[in-house]
Amino acid sequence: MHSVSIRSLDLAFGSVKVLKDLDLDIHDGEFLVLLGSSGCGKSTLLNCIAGLLDPTDGQIFIKERNVTWLEPSERGIGMVFQSYALYPQMSVEGNLSFGLKNAGLPKAEIAERVARAAKILQIEPLLKRKPGALSGGQRQRVAIGRALVRDVDVFLFDEPLSNLDAKLRADLRVEIKRLHQKLENTMIYVTHDQVEAMTLADRIAIMKGGQIMQLDTPAEIYNRPRNRYVAGFIGSPSMNFLDGGLSDGVFETGGERFDISGYPFEGAATGPAEMGIRPEHVATGHDLDGLPIQADVTVELVEPMGSDTQVWTTLAGQSFRFRMDGQAEIRDGDTIRIGIDPTKASFFDKKSELRL
């Protein structure tokens, strides 16, 4: 059963199309992340699902009920905003209960829901405080709690962690994951942070220009990106791309010829193409044994990151970087031999930018 279904959704502001003929099915109990750079349409799509924006065309279904033109309060959703949106003059308890009081729920049920949400989010000691006396992480917990007390089937998160520092983001990301495991509700989460997407999602929808570029599990998107945009967007540091051409199991780039006969092409592949290889898939030292692609490169820049070290160099006349162990003893100007397993690479047609 689909918890949320979107059919042929369009949204335009004047002559500018923000969402373009978009279709999306979200499974019951799924954690789906809408991921993309600023302006790709991810928050606009979330606001359409929430009822905060009216689509130009198309339909939205929640639990098989057409909600396209219903008010937000009639859709059975709870929303958590980036800006917390708490009432400063009210206590935490007042913020949590405000919407329920307006809905006319009995006092006993309101108290029960607030107590349950406070326990789940571990904010019970904060109930009598006002937002001004809370940290950023505590405020965001309260904002999540305000959605939680509504007891709905679908929760919408609009970049809820982007205002927090790195440590708080990591901590609260774990809490949101645990919350989903405990509640098993459908959650739709918007972010531009790929770490959040990869760690939280059951599936990720990567968006660009108002369209979904790829909808799949984090592992599939990481290992088999559908096009060059997805390949370059996912991964930190980002994927290396070498410009060249394919012919008879060989990739030619910058005067070099690489044996890629082990790559699982679907049918014959010839012509202009790009080879993509993630920095963490570049081998050095003892891991080179048996690899068909090997080259000596000169280290141009070393970036120690603690757990690993990023090394910048040039391969076949093109900028290239790879990862080494954090304790690796390597300096600018060193020559090092690297290797590539073609089965871990990705190849993209130069014209269509689709995966080969």
Side-chain angles (χ1 to χ4, degrees):
M1 179 179 175
H2 293 136
S3 184
V4 178
S5 292
I6 296 164
R7 295 285 174 266
S8 304
L9 198 70
D10 284 333
L11 189 138
F13 297 112
S15 61
V16 179
K17 273 200 168 186
V18 182
L19 299 176
K20 304 169 186 176
D21 195 26
L22 194 145
D23 291 297
L24 178 63
D25 286 318
I26 301 167
H27 307 314
D28 196 25
E30 182 175 29
F31 199 122
L32 182 98
V33 173
L34 301 175
L35 176 66
S37 55
S38 297
C40 70
K42 57 189 186 297
S43 289
T44 301
L45 175 57
L46 195 78
N47 287 331
C48 286
I49 297 170
L52 302 177
L53 287 173
D54 292 330
T56 308
D57 199 4
Q59 295 179 311
I60 300 169
F61 297 85
I62 296 179
K63 292 291 184 180
E64 301 183 348
R65 184 170 62 114
N66 193 334
V67 301
T68 311
W69 306 112
L70 294 183
E71 293 297 318
S73 60
E74 299 171 328
R75 297 190 178 209
I77 53 109
M79 190 158 184
V80 181
F81 296 94
Q82 175 181 343
S83 60
Y84 315 139
L86 302 176
Y87 298 109
Q89 73 278 15
M90 292 184 183
S91 65
V92 168
E93 187 175 18
N95 271 280
L96 295 177
S97 63
F98 183 73
L100 303 179
K101 289 177 180 176
N102 283 348
L105 267 66
K107 286 186 178 180
E109 185 175 349
I110 291 173
E112 182 183 337
R113 289 194 187 188
V114 168
R116 184 185 64 186
K119 184 177 181 180
I120 290 173
L121 294 167
Q122 300 175 20
I123 55 173
E124 293 164 296
L126 311 176
L127 288 175
K128 300 304 178 184
R129 293 191 197 177
K130 291 186 177 180
L134 304 177
S135 68
Q138 290 170 335
R139 291 180 195 179
Q140 195 55 279
R141 284 173 187 262
V142 176
I144 293 170
R146 195 170 54 185
L148 206 59
V149 295
R150 296 204 59 220
D151 200 20
V152 295
D153 295 313
V154 180
F155 290 102
L156 309 178
F157 295 84
D158 189 8
E159 303 203 46
L161 309 183
S162 60
N163 287 339
L164 305 178
D165 62 45
K167 176 70 167 62
L168 271 177
R169 275 206 310 271
D171 291 345
L172 211 49
R173 188 173 70 231
V174 172
E175 292 304 317
I176 291 173
K177 183 88 170 180
R178 286 178 176 159
L179 183 65
H180 179 250
Q181 290 174 344
K182 187 177 295 185
L183 299 177
E184 298 182 345
N185 294 67
T186 303
M187 294 186 177
I188 307 172
Y189 188 103
V190 164
T191 184
H192 62 272
D193 186 327
Q194 59 174 292
V195 174
E196 286 180 24
M198 295 292 284
T199 54
L200 287 172
D202 295 321
R203 288 191 301 163
I204 300 172
I206 297 184
M207 296 186 65
K208 178 188 178 187
Q211 297 177 309
I212 294 175
M213 296 286 102
Q214 185 169 355
L215 172 62
D216 223 317
T217 63
E220 187 69 10
I221 285 175
Y222 176 82
N223 292 312
R224 292 182 54 81
R226 183 175 295 170
N227 56 45
R228 191 191 187 283
Y229 176 79
V230 173
F233 193 85
I234 288 290
S236 180
S238 59
M239 183 179 280
N240 296 296
F241 293 100
L242 299 175
D243 196 7
L246 290 166
S247 62
D248 301 324
V250 173
F251 180 70
E252 295 189 44
T253 176
E256 301 280 351
R257 290 172 59 85
F258 295 154
D259 176 9
I260 56 163
S261 54
Y263 185 82
F265 287 107
E266 296 180 4
T270 60
E274 284 186 287
M275 175 183 178
I277 186 73
R278 297 199 181 280
E280 54 269 32
H281 291 159
V282 178
T284 58
H286 298 300
D287 296 330
L288 290 169
D289 294 346
L291 293 182
I293 302 174
Q294 297 191 22
D296 291 318
V297 296
T298 301
V299 175
E300 298 172 357
L301 182 69
V302 177
E303 292 183 299
M305 309 292 287
S307 60
D308 57 34
T309 297
Q310 294 182 30
V311 181
W312 287 81
T313 186
T314 299
L315 178 63
Q318 298 162 78
S319 181
F320 194 85
R321 58 181 166 178
F322 58 94
R323 274 181 168 172
M324 297 186 70
D325 183 84
Q327 307 308 313
E329 294 185 5
I330 189 166
R331 296 176 179 82
D332 297 355
D334 287 355
T335 298
I336 186 170
R337 192 162 186 82
I338 62 171
I340 297 171
D341 180 352
T343 63
K344 292 184 177 180
S346 297
F347 288 89
F348 304 96
D349 181 83
K350 186 68 175 174
K351 185 175 181 181
S352 68
E353 297 193 347
L354 295 177
R355 183 184 184 87
L356 294 169

